[in-house]
Structures are given as C-alpha cells and as structure tokens.
Amino acid sequence: MHKVSVNLGKRAYNIIIGGGIFYQLGAYLKKIDIGTDAFIISNAFLKNKYGAKLSQVLSGNGFNCYFKLVADSEKSKSIQTASAVIKELAKFDQKRKVFIIAFWGGVVGDLAGFVASVYKRGINYIQVPTTLLAQVDSAIGGKTAVDLDLGKNLVGTFYQPRLVFSEVNFLKSLDITQVRCGMAEVIKYAVINDPKLFNFLENKYQEVIQRNPAALEIIINACSRIKAGIVTQDEKETSGLRSILNFGHTIGHAIEAAGGYKGYNHGQAVSLGMIVAVDLSKKLGLIAAKSAARIKNLIKLYGLPVKIKGVAVAKIIRAHYHDKKFSGKENKFVLIEGIGKPRIVRNIKLDLIKEAVRGVI
Ligand SMILES: NC(=O)c1ccc[n+]([C@@H]2O[C@H](COP(=O)([O-])OP(=O)(O)OC[C@H]3O[C@@H](n4cnc5c(N)ncnc54)[C@H](O)[C@@H]3O)[C@@H](O)[C@H]2O)c1
Ligand SMILES: [Zn+2]
C-alpha cells in the first residue's frame, strides 16, 4: 500500500493506493472525521458488482449510506443531472453530517465534486476512482466540472476532496480500451516528469497491460505523486506550472473536437497530441531524435495510435484556435527537451504547427 500526501494546508488530504485495501475504507473515513451519512454517486454496474461490499464496509464503521445512480455517459456531467442529484441529496440530508462518495470514473468524479462544492456552499466529499484515468489523474487535484452544449467542462469549481482511495483491484474489470486510455496519461506523466517511470513502462509492458496489481500500484503511486506535487505548487493553475500537465492535450483536445468527440477517445487523442508535440520539439531542435523515437515507440507499445486517421488537418487547426486555453493571439505548447524535461514554448508559427500535424497523418 502507498500513501501520497497532497500538502495544501487546511485543505490537505491523502491518496491511498493499493490492491485489496477496499475493506479499510470505513476506518480511513472515521480517522478524517468526514461525517456520518454517505451519499454515494455511482452507476448500476459498479453498484451491482461492489455495492453490497461498500455498504458493509461503511455500515460496519457506523456510517449510514445511500446510492444515487446516474447514467453511464459523459452526458451525466450536466447541469440537469447535477440539479437532480442535488435535490435527492437534500432529501437524504437528515441534519446529521452528510458527505459525498464519488464511486466511479472521471465522469462521476467531476460531477460529484461539483455537487459537493455547491451544496450548502460546500460539503465534504471523497473520491473512490474506478478507472485508471481517474486514479492517475481526474480524482486528484480538485478540478470539478459539468459540461454545457457549448463545450466540455465550462461550469466548474476548484474544490479538493478529503481523501482519494485508489483500490487497484477495481481495474481488473476495466475494458482494455479504457486501460489504454488511462495509459496515455501515464505515459504523459513519465515523459514530463519521470524517466524512471518511463523505463518501467518500457520494461514491464506485460505486467502493466495484464493489470498485475503490484505493477499498477507502482505506476499509480508514481503518477499520483507527480500530480500531487504539481497541484500543491499551483493549485488553481495560476503560476503556469500545472499547465505542464497539458502535454499532448493542446492538439489532443483539437483532435477530439474536430472529430465531434466521436472519433478518437481522450487517451487516443492525447497520444496523437503527444506525437505532434514531440515532432514540434524535434523541428525546433529541442529534443534528440533518439529520445523522440523512444516516446513514439512507447505510445505504440501500449496500443495507442501514432497516426491521425479520418480527421482533416484544417479542422484540427480550426478547433485548436477555438480552444478555451488558447488565449488571444498567443499560442502555448508544452514541448519536451528530453524524457523528464518539459518546456513551455509560446508563439509557435502556424505553418510549423500545420507541418507537425501533417507529419502525423
Ligand atoms: N477533474 C480533472 O482533473 C479531470 C482530468 C481528466 C479527465 N477528467 C474528466 O474525466 C472524464 C473521463 O473519465 P474516465 O475516463 O474515468 O471515464 P468514465 O467515468 O466515463 O469511465 C469510462 C468507462 O469505464 C467504465 N468503468 C468505470 N469503472 C469501471 C470498472 N471498475 N470496471 C469496468 N468498467 C468501469 C464506465 O462505466 C465507463 O463506461 C471526462 O469527463 C473528463 O473531462 C477530469
Ligand atoms: Zn487528459
């Protein structure tokens, strides 16, 4: 078992990572004095699979619990669902101390965090993430959100959970596509921050992809440490440090948007975005060809795409210019000088961006 601390003063919390730790959740919650009544936001699949066990673990420690199930879709990250959840939460709230458990992937994590941040001006919540992406990324750092028709994550808050509890055995039932999607973020962390993790991913492919709990624990611990460290220094993305987590995401988001969110999934789009960023770094003479090739090979090894298919370059460039992170006339890319050495570069010429995207077609 591993413990990572997110050192945010009064808002500090721990991330607990391990295989077979689920039964200890109740004891952890008691230790942090979180409240008495657990409002668990989840979906039907997870409730059927783990609901009885979760109830047992909670009631065995004196907690009262209630399941609120939402549909298995990004569409659940909406104002409408948030409003329905809040109404049910208000009914469940018995004037004792209610808190929320987000028991699912990133969709419910973002929704539950948002609801927790606005109900009664903020109540306690914890993240019990069940996807690789959520365990290494979305459950950590306190970004909450719901989507609008106009765009993803347009309404949200910064609101930290009181605990992140990552049971790696939950990942056993995860679809291989979802594992690969999470691996794109894991590769991102290794490239921007951790040469040791990069070597591990190269050498332990079999163990990782077969979801060996010990291997998963190592990578989730490494990624959680990196994200916790960055969030501690730049909680609200003001100093610019947190933006290095956007490596591969600038063009990745543009690819997702250009495909109408129906083509590549997030991890695949981020992989392609990382390849574009590596190529841009090469064109600007920042990275040696050998390191660039290692990054590309690792992305390929984990079954992620290395060529953009079925999305036009012009559409990607147009979507890039509409990105909410693209401020005014200045563009900003996270490029790479070597494994573990990110560098933020501004004002890259449009022709060079187009050339790099074209190179990945
Ligand atoms: N807040 C942040 O910092 C942050 C960061 C990255 C992504 N996100 C958000 O996260 C969301 C994506 O998260 P996600 O990839 O976890 O998607 P998700 O929550 O939709 O889960 C993906 C799929 O896996 C299934 N699933 C979940 N756990 C399972 C399990 N243990 N076994 C079998 N199937 C399981 C789900 O039912 C779903 O179909 C997006 O909305 C994105 O905007 C937020
Ligand atoms: Zn991402």
Side-chain angles (χ1 to χ4, degrees), residues 133 137 185 188 249 253 266 270:
L133 180 130
D137 189 0
E185 304 287 354
K188 172 192 85 176
H249 282 62
H253 282 148
H266 181 69
V270 167

Side-chain angles (χ1 to χ4, degrees), residues 21-322:
I21 58 172
F22 193 37
Y23 71 97
Q24 297 179 43
L25 176 63
Y28 270 98
L29 289 178
K30 256 173 133 173
K31 258 197 266 176
I32 59 172
D33 189 24
I34 186 133
T36 50
D37 299 349
F39 186 82
I40 304 156
I41 311 181
S42 188
N43 78 346
F45 172 80
L46 284 162
K47 184 174 180 242
N48 284 342
K49 213 165 159 60
Y50 304 107
K53 226 166 150 189
L54 180 58
S55 300
Q56 204 184 341
V57 158
L58 292 172
S59 55
N61 283 280
F63 295 102
N64 179 20
C65 47
Y66 179 88
F67 279 88
K68 169 65 188 165
L69 306 184
V70 296
D72 185 359
S73 160
E74 173 76 25
K75 290 201 175 84
S76 286
K77 255 176 74 174
S78 67
I79 298 265
Q80 290 79 358
T81 309
S83 158
V85 170
I86 289 167
K87 280 182 192 148
E88 214 161 313
L89 172 62
K91 277 190 204 146
F92 172 69
D93 185 359
Q94 299 297 317
K95 312 282 173 259
R96 300 200 321 159
K97 200 172 165 198
V98 73
F99 66 98
I100 293 177
I101 300 182
F103 183 49
W104 194 7
V107 164
V108 104
D110 282 11
L111 170 74
F114 178 69
V115 167
S117 72
V118 294
Y119 180 67
K120 289 187 166 169
R121 299 195 179 89
I123 60 169
N124 284 335
Y125 82 111
I126 68 153
Q127 296 273 10
V128 183
T130 65
T131 64
L132 180 58
L133 180 130
Q135 294 193 351
V136 298
D137 189 0
S138 63
I140 307 163
K143 271 192 186 176
T144 86
V146 293
D147 305 332
L148 295 182
D149 290 341
L150 283 170
K152 261 175 71 86
N153 299 328
L154 285 181
V155 180
T157 52
F158 280 101
Y159 193 67
Q160 301 295 341
R162 295 283 319 280
L163 176 74
V164 178
F165 201 77
S166 294
E167 164 60 80
V168 301
N169 287 337
F170 287 150
L171 307 183
K172 279 186 185 152
S173 54
L174 207 58
D175 196 83
I176 186 69
T177 311
Q178 295 299 335
V179 176
R180 293 200 165 114
C181 192
M183 282 312 298
E185 304 287 354
V186 173
I187 293 171
K188 172 192 85 176
Y189 284 113
V191 173
I192 59 170
N193 194 277
D194 196 340
K196 216 172 119 202
L197 175 62
F198 195 97
N199 290 341
F200 182 85
L201 298 176
E202 281 181 329
N203 298 330
K204 303 283 179 187
Y205 167 77
Q206 288 298 344
E207 284 94 324
V208 173
I209 218 69
Q210 282 165 9
R211 280 162 262 182
N212 168 299
L216 287 176
E217 203 175 310
I218 288 172
I219 63 175
I220 295 161
N221 178 46
C223 296
S224 299
R225 256 171 222 289
I226 298 168
K227 182 140 186 196
I230 291 173
V231 166
T232 303
Q233 293 171 69
D234 184 19
E235 186 184 6
K236 298 196 172 159
E237 213 165 322
T238 42
S239 79
L241 180 69
R242 194 165 174 164
S243 65
I244 66 164
L245 293 169
N246 287 330
F247 175 60
H249 282 62
T250 314
I251 291 298
H253 282 148
I255 293 171
E256 274 183 293
Y261 296 95
K262 288 187 193 95
Y264 290 111
N265 67 31
H266 181 69
Q268 292 167 332
V270 167
S271 301
L272 293 164
M274 289 195 279
I275 302 241
V276 173
V278 168
D279 281 359
L280 270 174
S281 311
K282 225 163 72 182
K283 283 183 199 304
L284 291 168
L286 298 175
I287 191 172
K290 208 173 147 198
S291 304
R294 269 183 85 193
I295 298 172
K296 229 184 237 187
N297 286 338
L298 191 66
I299 292 171
K300 214 170 165 180
L301 180 66
Y302 280 89
L304 291 157
V306 290
K307 289 273 173 210
I308 305 170
K309 291 199 179 103
V311 194
V313 177
K315 255 186 151 177
I316 297 170
I317 300 293
R318 215 175 309 133
H320 165 62
Y321 276 84
H322 281 100

